[in-house]
Amino acid sequence: MRDYLYVDTPRVRTLLAQLSSGLPEARRSDHTRRWTDRLTGGDGPGHEEGTRDQEVRSLAELHVAMLEDDAEYAQMLLDVSEVSKKAKNWNRGRLHKALHPGSLIRVKGPTSLIYPASFAASTAAFDSFGDNSDFADDVDKVIRAMYGNHQHLTLRVFPCGEDEWECQYSGVICDPGNYLAGEKEVLFSRLGADPQEWTTLAMISRIPQRDSTPPEARFEKAMSSLEAAMDSGGEVNRKVLEKMIQETSRAMEGVGLSEAPTWPAVSVIPLAVYRAVRSSQITSELELDD
């Protein structure tokens, strides 16, 4: 059994349809285990709105399991959980050479979800008790600078632990399939601030290059190229402008004003986040009389 935290329903369905030459609704495996897309069975009340919503989510979760099965069979899914635990694989670039943009990976490790909008709302609520709202306004400006449209969730997986913060898989959860409808605001109360052990199925989005140029130097280079173009003829052509935008964007990444990760972190597109459901047990220690 799995407890699903998030599923990118549209992207999972698209990938599965390509692997399976169509989108399967049910499957019988070699062990006669049946996958079913209906939570309540064939005679369930499929017309009720709450049941429909639950069945849509169940079908999305079913497709995640199918995608993993088919991708593993086609040797297109790589489990990087163990190799990602070694910081030297990150710092020496070994992991980056093994991964390719667009490839599918699965990684299990300490995982943190950040919802900046919730933090900004909490700060605003705190300031409402006082006469000065400058603190909440300043926090909102910082969050917008760091996270842009802070209605999205930020996912970070730390295979080496938080002590090796730079060695992370980083991604933004946009929730195009509305899987998290109504649940974003309660994620912090459910999960807390500390990273928890989750498994993430993801697509490699970007593998940044090692960059030794300081962000300040990139800002200066971008501004000087723009000034030189203006001084030469008073006009800025598209090539100069785009070069300036590229250099400025790289500089913003370097100082943390962009969600794009810097070396050695790897950018991913989260497809699903889940954990195994384990049974709790009464141990002999709990039955002691002391």
Side-chain angles (χ1 to χ4, degrees):
M1 293 178 60
R2 290 177 176 178
D3 172 26
Y4 281 88
L5 179 63
Y6 168 70
V7 176
D8 183 341
T9 306
R11 200 178 296 270
V12 167
R13 289 170 64 91
T14 297
L15 293 170
L16 180 59
Q18 294 179 62
L19 280 171
S20 303
S21 300
L23 195 62
E25 299 297 328
R27 167 181 297 178
R28 185 178 297 276
S29 73
D30 295 337
H31 302 289
T32 68
R33 179 178 54 185
R34 182 170 179 79
W35 301 94
T36 176
D37 64 313
R38 292 191 59 83
L39 178 68
T40 58
D43 298 327
H47 63 281
E48 296 180 4
E49 183 177 353
T51 303
R52 275 203 311 271
D53 291 342
Q54 188 60 50
E55 287 180 353
V56 168
R57 291 186 61 153
S58 297
L59 183 58
E61 295 161 7
L62 162 75
H63 286 158
V64 173
M66 286 184 171
L67 175 62
E68 287 187 80
D69 283 350
D70 289 352
E72 284 184 318
Y73 180 78
Q75 297 183 342
M76 296 187 65
L77 173 61
L78 184 65
D79 194 309
V80 296
S81 301
E82 292 301 319
V83 295
S84 298
K85 292 179 180 179
K86 302 176 181 178
K88 62 182 180 181
N89 285 341
W90 294 83
N91 297 322
R92 298 179 183 179
R94 294 173 178 174
L95 190 63
H96 306 77
K97 294 177 181 178
L99 301 177
H100 301 284
S103 62
L104 298 178
I105 64 167
R106 181 174 56 219
V107 56
K108 180 180 179 181
T111 302
S112 175
L113 281 173
I114 303 169
Y115 187 32
S118 178
F119 178 72
S122 298
T123 305
F126 179 79
D127 262 13
S128 66
F129 292 101
D131 299 329
N132 190 348
S133 62
D134 291 344
F135 178 68
D137 292 340
D138 291 342
V139 168
D140 186 69
K141 291 177 182 177
V142 171
I143 288 178
R144 288 186 179 278
M146 299 289 287
Y147 296 97
N149 179 6
H150 51 54
Q151 294 302 315
H152 301 321
L153 292 168
T154 297
L155 171 81
R156 306 208 189 281
V157 184
F158 306 106
C160 303
E162 281 192 286
D163 291 340
E164 300 286 350
W165 191 89
E166 293 80 6
C167 304
Q168 63 170 267
Y169 294 99
S170 173
V172 176
I173 294 179
C174 301
D175 197 19
N178 209 28
Y179 185 88
L180 290 171
E183 295 190 7
K184 290 182 180 179
E185 290 75 11
V186 300
L187 284 178
F188 180 79
S189 62
R190 289 181 181 176
L191 304 177
D194 297 326
Q196 296 184 6
E197 196 82 0
W198 291 88
T199 297
T200 298
L201 178 68
M203 175 181 289
I204 299 296
S205 174
R206 177 185 171 216
I207 303 174
Q209 301 294 318
R210 193 192 300 265
D211 188 2
S212 58
T213 304
E216 297 80 6
R218 289 199 177 277
F219 275 123
E220 292 177 2
K221 181 179 179 181
M223 292 302 102
S224 61
S225 63
L226 181 62
E227 292 172 359
M230 293 292 291
D231 293 340
S232 61
E235 296 181 357
V236 180
N237 59 42
R238 185 175 296 273
K239 178 181 178 181
V240 172
L241 180 61
E242 290 182 356
K243 283 292 184 181
M244 184 204 69
I245 293 175
Q246 288 176 342
E247 289 297 322
T248 305
S249 298
R250 291 191 182 101
M252 292 174 67
E253 291 176 8
V255 297
L257 293 178
S258 172
E259 185 52 41
T262 56
W263 176 276
V266 173
S267 178
V268 299
I269 301 173
L271 301 178
V273 182
Y274 62 87
R275 61 185 172 189
V277 177
R278 302 173 57 188
S279 60
S280 299
Q281 296 179 343
I282 300 296
T283 63
S284 58
E285 182 181 32
L286 292 172
E287 296 176 338
L288 296 176
D289 294 331
D290 58 346

